[in-house]
Amino acid sequence: MILLEEMATSRLPPATLTLKQFMRRQQVLLLYRRILQAIREVPNDSDRKYLKDWAREEFKRNKSATEEDTIRMMITQGNMQLKELEKNLALAKS
């Protein structure tokens, strides 16, 4: 019986996420994808490259954040920045 338990636990990766951490990770990845999709709509090549580099660096810089409140705050700020970008893009098209 002990051997079966050891085999079951050894299959798990060393850094297994809790359900809450998994859900937060999915939120962050979705936000990142949505930001990159919005950036693709920027008409100017240099502005598009600048924004893409900025987004990549922001996400990399905050990659090691583990505090739940901090992550939630960063997701909220990211969503606000995404809405602002989408609003500016809509204004530019009209």
Side-chain angles (χ1 to χ4, degrees):
M1 183 68 168
I2 293 174
L3 181 58
L4 289 176
E5 289 175 10
E6 287 176 16
M7 286 175 52
T9 57
S10 67
R11 291 183 186 160
L12 294 174
T16 303
L17 301 176
T18 66
L19 179 60
K20 185 183 260 186
Q21 290 169 328
F22 178 79
M23 297 299 286
R24 286 284 178 234
R25 184 176 187 276
Q26 296 308 308
Q27 285 180 308
V28 170
L29 292 173
L30 178 62
L31 175 61
Y32 185 63
R33 279 189 225 108
R34 289 179 58 213
I35 288 171
L36 290 180
Q37 286 172 348
I39 290 172
R40 282 189 211 118
E41 301 298 316
V42 173
N44 183 292
D45 287 341
S46 63
D47 290 344
R48 193 170 46 247
K49 181 179 177 354
Y50 171 80
L51 289 170
K52 189 176 177 182
D53 291 344
W54 168 81
R56 184 180 292 129
E57 287 304 313
E58 282 296 307
F59 278 83
K60 276 185 185 179
R61 187 167 55 88
N62 294 306
K63 181 179 178 180
S64 61
T66 56
E67 189 67 35
E68 178 69 23
D69 291 337
T70 304
I71 295 169
R72 203 172 25 230
M73 180 201 61
M74 287 189 285
I75 290 171
T76 301
Q77 285 179 336
N79 280 315
M80 289 185 333
Q81 290 172 332
L82 173 60
K83 285 179 186 172
E84 188 68 27
L85 175 60
E86 290 171 337
K87 187 171 72 172
N88 287 332
L89 287 169
L91 284 173
K93 288 181 181 179
S94 60

